[in-house]
Amino acid sequence: DMVFQPTPIASFEGLEIVSAAASLKHSVWLTRDGVVYTAGDNDEGQLGRTGKRTKPLKVEAVEHLPIEDIAAGDGFTVMAAQLDGRLLGVGRGDRGQLGMGGADRENK
């Protein structure tokens, strides 16, 4: 669907969204309570959960860690944990995008 005017996202009714990030094929939202929601394509695992979704769903794997910041890139998502400062990455990391190395890490 195409939306040509700013329109409230019904899935977030009653939630306080403090940050949003988007890439070509997915979007990520962060609530004031540190809960992460994702939607879009998941062909690289960038949603941090299973399945492709057209509506935002909670990333349950990080529910126990309040997240304080999010970022989205081409096929990947990065989340910063509030309690211990860890950075968590999901999705495509073959070129080092996640900071975990990658197929070409020895050549670049």
Side-chain angles (χ1 to χ4, degrees), residues 43-66:
D43 53 342
E44 306 283 350
Q46 65 264 41
L47 297 184
R49 55 183 174 75
T50 58
K52 175 181 175 177
R53 289 296 197 212
T54 56
K55 293 186 179 182
L57 287 179
K58 191 183 305 183
V59 179
E60 294 179 7
V62 295
E63 254 188 305
H64 65 289
L65 294 172

Side-chain angles (χ1 to χ4, degrees), residues 10 16 23-24 27 35 38 41 47 63 69 73 77 84 87-88 101 103:
E16 188 176 351
S23 186
L24 181 62
S27 297
V35 177
T38 56
D41 277 349
L47 297 184
E63 254 188 305
D69 203 5
T77 301
D84 59 10
L87 285 176
L88 307 165

Side-chain angles (χ1 to χ4, degrees), residues 9-26:
I9 301 172
S11 299
F12 296 127
E13 189 172 321
L15 296 175
E16 188 176 351
I17 302 298
V18 295
S19 186
S23 186
L24 181 62
K25 298 193 285 182
H26 78 293

Side-chain angles (χ1 to χ4, degrees), residues 7 13 15 28 36 40-41 44 65 74 86 89 97 102-103 105:
T7 305
E13 189 172 321
L15 296 175
V28 186
V36 177
D41 277 349
E44 306 283 350
L65 294 172
D74 184 13
R86 279 188 289 169
Q97 307 91 307
R105 67 182 170 268

